[in-house]
Amino acid sequence: MSGYDDSREEGEDREESVETIHRELTAFARRARSTAARMHPELSLVAFTLLAHLADQRGCRATDLAAHYMLDKSTVSRQVAALEKLGFVERRPDPDDQRVQVLHPTPSGYEVLTTAHARRQEVFRRRFADWPQDDLTRFAEYLVRFNEASVAYDASAS
Amino acid sequence: MSGYDDSREEGEDREESVETIHRELTAFARRARSTAARMHPELSLVAFTLLAHLADQRGCRATDLAAHYMLDKSTVSRQVAALEKLGFVERRPDPDDQRVQVLHPTPSGYEVLTTAHARRQEVFRRRFADWPQDDLTRFAEYLVRFNEASVAYDASAS
DNA sequence: CACGTGTGTTGTAATATACAACCATTCGAA
DNA sequence: TTCGAATGGTTGTATATTACAACACACGTG
């Protein structure tokens, strides 16, 4: 690790790292759904994400959800309908615009989020138990940096 | 960054890092499909992953794919059928066991992988252009470590 | 007012997936 | 050696997720 192995080009190291990063991120993405299912069995990953966004934003419109997650409005409509049926979301009229429904998590919806958050923290806490804080901090920082670059790229590509 | 801010518990830093890591990984997973679609428009993420695994393993059985990716054998069967129809996979009999089909990428399948690999390298290369090699190496290492822990956890949980 | 735009729902179709039933082959034990 | 259990794979069926299109209703501006 120290010094420079001149039997390798610098670019080979980069390529190998990039390859590993891609492989591991993809592996994670593949597991995301089943992981999510364990974390909050009552909700699909999408439904959960939408609900979490509502909590994050202190309520928002279906259109906003669709735009933010690049989903069709019909998809959001049905997901929200399901969430409402489960009692996790309520629709409030927008006094300024009768077309709009402002979506909010219900108390029961907040409870689901809180429970999932606790469970997630617990699982991740165990999983990261032997990681020094420095590594955790750096890992988080790398991910943020990577995603910022990706979002910028996605925006320019579409 | 230097020193220790004693207005915060050590655990708060950890929790915040863990939260960030989870959020960013989830954000990545959400984008994975559309990213994959850009990288290899002719194949779904699953189909591509299976094909890549075949190349990785120099051929393997459908059952191995199912086990490795936690998919039902019927799902794999149909995905493989689609890949075969596209001419990216061929089935070879196993001389030792007539039940088994050993799956291999065809030349055309390898070509798809090579092209996708090149495109991916290019995109990631640009995305990581301003990352020092040290950070790349560490990022890759973190992801590997994280996924190893996750796989171990998944195994123990199921 | 009328028309174009924005918000949301419903009909329809495509796709992905799991589960179950099934067939062919293999393996092991009586 | 023969039969039953296990293994590898396919197909039928059901469900879920998603997008696109058509629609209904509300808003705002000419």
Side-chain angles (χ1 to χ4, degrees):
Chain A
M1 268 303 181
S2 61
Y4 181 70
D5 177 353
D6 59 10
S7 73
R8 290 176 63 84
E9 299 286 333
E10 162 79 8
E12 288 181 43
D13 284 338
R14 294 188 75 82
E15 177 159 342
E16 187 180 315
S17 297
V18 164
E19 197 59 26
T20 302
I21 289 167
H22 178 265
R23 177 166 25 82
E24 299 298 323
L25 281 172
T26 303
F28 172 81
R30 231 176 10 239
R31 275 202 317 278
R33 267 161 212 277
S34 56
T35 304
R38 261 203 308 283
M39 297 281 198
H40 34 79
E42 59 275 42
L43 290 179
S44 75
L45 179 54
V46 172
F48 182 84
T49 304
L50 296 183
L51 182 57
H53 193 81
L54 293 185
D56 236 44
Q57 303 288 305
R58 318 309 259 151
C60 74
R61 301 173 305 163
T63 301
D64 299 333
L65 292 176
H68 194 265
Y69 294 109
M70 295 197 298
L71 294 169
D72 192 79
K73 55 187 182 166
S74 66
T75 301
V76 172
S77 173
R78 286 181 233 263
Q79 291 284 346
V80 168
L83 283 168
E84 189 189 26
K85 197 165 189 177
L86 289 167
F88 295 150
V89 160
E90 70 180 4
R91 308 165 190 252
R92 300 185 194 160
D94 181 339
D96 300 344
D97 188 338
Q98 294 303 109
R99 292 171 302 181
V100 172
Q101 304 168 354
V102 184
L103 306 170
H104 291 266
T106 59
S108 157
Y110 278 112
E111 194 187 318
V112 167
L113 290 171
T114 306
T115 304
H117 179 265
R119 187 153 28 197
R120 185 165 70 227
Q121 277 291 331
E122 177 57 20
V123 168
F124 273 61
R125 193 186 61 70
R126 264 204 283 262
R127 198 166 303 181
F128 285 123
D130 58 346
W131 287 48
Q133 177 61 40
D134 277 359
D135 286 346
L136 277 188
T137 305
R138 254 197 305 249
F139 189 27
E141 183 194 310
Y142 289 159
L143 286 168
V144 169
R145 206 197 301 178
F146 173 76
N147 274 338
E148 278 170 359
S150 304
V151 168
Y153 176 83
D154 285 1
S156 74
S158 59
Chain B
M1 270 303 183
S2 62
Y4 180 70
D5 177 353
D6 59 10
S7 72
R8 290 177 63 86
E9 297 287 333
E10 163 80 6
E12 288 181 43
D13 285 337
R14 294 189 75 82
E15 177 158 345
E16 187 179 316
S17 297
V18 164
E19 196 59 27
T20 302
I21 290 166
H22 178 265
R23 177 166 24 82
E24 299 297 324
L25 281 173
T26 303
F28 172 81
R30 241 188 346 253
R31 276 201 318 277
R33 266 160 213 279
S34 55
T35 304
R38 260 202 309 282
M39 297 280 197
H40 33 79
E42 59 276 39
L43 290 179
S44 75
L45 178 54
V46 172
F48 182 84
T49 304
L50 297 184
L51 183 58
H53 192 82
L54 293 185
D56 237 43
Q57 304 288 305
R58 315 316 252 154
C60 75
R61 302 172 305 162
T63 300
D64 299 333
L65 292 176
H68 195 267
Y69 295 110
M70 294 196 299
L71 294 169
D72 192 79
K73 55 186 181 165
S74 66
T75 301
V76 172
S77 173
R78 286 181 233 264
Q79 292 283 350
V80 168
L83 283 168
E84 189 189 24
K85 198 163 189 178
L86 289 167
F88 296 150
V89 160
E90 69 180 6
R91 309 163 189 254
R92 300 184 195 160
D94 180 338
D96 300 343
D97 188 338
Q98 294 302 111
R99 293 171 302 181
V100 171
Q101 304 169 352
V102 185
L103 307 170
H104 290 267
T106 59
S108 157
Y110 278 112
E111 193 186 318
V112 167
L113 290 171
T114 305
T115 304
H117 179 265
R119 187 152 29 197
R120 186 166 69 229
Q121 276 291 332
E122 177 57 19
V123 168
F124 273 61
R125 195 187 60 71
R126 265 205 283 263
R127 200 167 300 182
F128 285 123
D130 58 346
W131 286 48
Q133 177 62 39
D134 277 358
D135 285 347
L136 278 187
T137 305
R138 251 195 309 250
F139 189 26
E141 183 194 311
Y142 288 159
L143 285 168
V144 170
R145 204 197 304 177
F146 172 76
N147 275 338
E148 276 169 359
S150 303
V151 167
Y153 175 83
D154 286 2
S156 75
S158 59

